[in-house]
Amino acid sequence: MTLQVFTSKLEVMLNQLTNMTSSVDQALELLPALGNVASGAHDAMVRLLDVAQACSLVLDPLMNSCLRAIAQWQVTALRQKARLLVREGATLMGVLDEYEVLEGDEVFVQIQRPHRGRRTAGPAQIITGPITLAKHPVSHRGDTRQVIAVNPAGRAGGLKLIDDYTNVIVFSQRGQRPLPNKLAGADLVRQRTCM
């Protein structure tokens, strides 16, 4: 089952990368979600694509070659490191629940994603329900863990978590073995976790 999910995500990403070089709409949909593009170049390309879309223009040769180079880089990253785009996912730093609000295998995640093509952030969104975590980069599929993301608003100290922590994964300090340690023996020192 897990292999089928990853295979289908791989096929979708390869199709999107192929279509990105031939359609302004596809490029505008995919480009903001891709990583490993210099921020200045990324912002300029998104603005140019916005203008091209508004004026119903076709891609000029320079923009097309830039998009092809980005697509080729992403395919190389897929081959070498299996870096799949997961639109619902995020790579975040982990921190400890200093207020002792969370139970054993619970985490708190509040994400504030930027608006497409802008530097300003959108509204913060609290993630709830079952999520899959792994140390970044993922080296073995056995190093992933299924945990419950909770909204601690109704708990003592929960509002402090919501006010103080955005764009990080807050791990509980309760339990026999810390959850970050279950993720390939990781700790929270300069460690990124993907969700």
Side-chain angles (χ1 to χ4, degrees), residues 28 60 86 89 115 129 135 141 168 175 184 187:
L28 267 174
D60 73 322
V86 180
H115 289 294
K135 179 178 140 186
R141 67 181 178 162
V168 295
D187 57 15

Side-chain angles (χ1 to χ4, degrees), residues 97 99 101-102 108-112 124-128 150-155 157-168 170:
D97 174 16
Y99 303 115
V101 175
L102 302 173
F108 171 66
V109 182
Q110 181 174 218
I111 298 178
Q112 193 170 19
Q125 174 190 12
I126 296 176
I127 308 298
T128 58
V150 297
N151 183 347
R155 302 179 187 180
L159 292 178
K160 289 182 181 179
L161 273 181
I162 293 171
D163 290 342
D164 293 348
Y165 295 106
T166 303
N167 291 336
V168 295
V170 182

Side-chain angles (χ1 to χ4, degrees), residues 123-144:
Q125 174 190 12
I126 296 176
I127 308 298
T128 58
I131 60 173
T132 303
L133 296 180
K135 179 178 140 186
H136 184 74
V138 180
S139 57
H140 187 272
R141 67 181 178 162
D143 292 333
T144 60

